[in-house]
Structure formats: C-alpha cells, structure tokens
Amino acid sequence: MTDTDHTSSRKQPGTRPEDPMTYQPGERVALEHTGDPHTLLRPGDEGTVRHYHPDQQVLEVNWDSGSRLSMLLDAGDRVRRLPAPTGSASWEQVLDAMRVAGAAAGRDAAVWWAQNLIGGRATGDVREVARQVLAGIDDVDPPVMDGLPTADRYVLAEDRDRYAEHAPQGALAWEDLTGRQRD
C-alpha cells in the first residue's frame, strides 16, 4: 500500500488493517473505483474530503461534480490522494470564496432584475408579479422561461478576472487549475 492510494482488502470481522489509511478534511482525492452502479462518478473524478470514519472505513467526499457520494473503503471503493496544491489556500477555501462571490452576484442580479424589469413593467405591488414569475419558473411556463435572462458560457470570457478578484490569497493561479476546476 502506498501513501497515495488505498486498496481495501477483505478482512475478518473485528480485525483492523495493519496500516490504516487516514484522511483529513480538506484533502483532495481522485476516484479509482466504486461499486455503486447508480453513481455518475467515474474514475479520475476529483473531490475534497469532508470527513473520514476510520472505524467504518467510510470516506465522505464533496466531489467537484456536486455529488456527495461517500466511499465505502471496506467494501472495495478506492480513491487516491492528490498532491497538495502549490498555493497555500485549500481547494475548499477557493470553492467557499467562489460560492460567496456567486451568491453576492446572484443577489445583485435579482435586485437589478426586480428594479429594472419587474418594477418597470408592473403596476401596483411588484411582489405579486414576482410571485407569478416564480410560479412560472416552477411550472416551466414557456412565456416566463423565454423572458428570463440567460448566460452564454462562450461569452463569459471574464472568468479569469473574476477568479483573480475573488480567490483567496494563496489560491492556485488560474493557469494552474484543471479544466474541471475552471468550470
């Protein structure tokens, strides 16, 4: 067994592996194998350790894809550790900073939309118009959906600048991120 991977072996109940692998929150791992037939995760997918239960050999992971599937290391699931980033900020800290920036941008967009679109078109109480729009979104009502603003991935050329503006000090440079991390 190396210090970068974990291959579980069958053991007798009540016995412990000679060299138990431990994981710390914030460590990065890559999936090597899972026996879960329903997951969309594939070998090579990366994630951040959320918690490790050594007694049960259960590794809780926040996968970059958004999945929160835990690895059952005692049942044959395998992951390998990824090298620590060269920056001092953990990937989880970078994601947290991006979430905060995204939430703030979303609130700003909602305020702008309410003031300039709903408020400009509605007469009387704009809250009722907002309720109708939200109901239309829930119902996937085509006239409502067609009236919503959209973002085109291919015109979002400012990703590098946004990342530099919001990433915590010590985070990896934009050029050092993987394609999946950039997405």
Side-chain angles (χ1 to χ4, degrees), residues 51-86:
H51 188 75
Y52 178 59
H53 304 274
D55 294 341
Q56 293 89 19
Q57 296 278 304
V58 174
L59 182 64
E60 297 177 14
V61 179
N62 289 334
W63 296 99
D64 294 352
S65 65
S67 173
R68 292 175 54 97
L69 182 70
S70 293
M71 296 288 98
L72 306 176
L73 302 177
D74 230 13
D77 290 345
R78 294 187 311 272
V79 298
R80 64 181 160 81
R81 273 199 178 87
L82 295 173
T86 56

Side-chain angles (χ1 to χ4, degrees), residues 113 117-118 121 126-141 143-145 147-149:
W113 186 65
L117 294 180
I118 293 178
R121 290 189 208 160
V126 296
R127 290 178 292 182
E128 182 55 34
V129 174
R131 284 187 194 97
Q132 291 171 2
V133 170
L134 292 174
I137 292 170
D138 283 343
D139 296 338
V140 193
D141 183 15
V144 171
M145 300 304 286
L148 295 175

Side-chain angles (χ1 to χ4, degrees), residues 3 9 22 25 33 60 75 97 105 114 129 133 147 155 161 170 180:
D3 64 344
S9 58
T22 61
H33 170 79
E60 297 177 14
V129 174
V133 170
V155 298
D161 296 337
R180 177 168 259 166

Side-chain angles (χ1 to χ4, degrees), residues 3-35:
D3 64 344
T4 59
D5 64 22
H6 177 86
T7 306
S8 65
S9 58
R10 295 287 171 208
K11 59 180 183 149
Q12 297 301 317
T15 64
R16 301 185 63 80
E18 295 174 14
D19 181 25
M21 178 66 75
T22 61
Y23 298 90
Q24 298 301 315
E27 285 185 297
R28 298 282 296 159
V29 295
L31 178 65
E32 287 192 341
H33 170 79
T34 181

Side-chain angles (χ1 to χ4, degrees), residues 88-150:
S88 60
S90 74
W91 182 242
E92 201 62 34
Q93 290 171 313
V94 171
L95 290 177
D96 287 343
M98 296 298 117
R99 284 184 194 108
V100 168
R107 282 190 300 276
D108 291 345
V111 167
W112 175 88
W113 186 65
Q115 290 174 345
N116 294 301
L117 294 180
I118 293 178
R121 290 189 208 160
T123 58
D125 188 3
V126 296
R127 290 178 292 182
E128 182 55 34
V129 174
R131 284 187 194 97
Q132 291 171 2
V133 170
L134 292 174
I137 292 170
D138 283 343
D139 296 338
V140 193
D141 183 15
V144 171
M145 300 304 286
D146 291 343
L148 295 175
T150 61

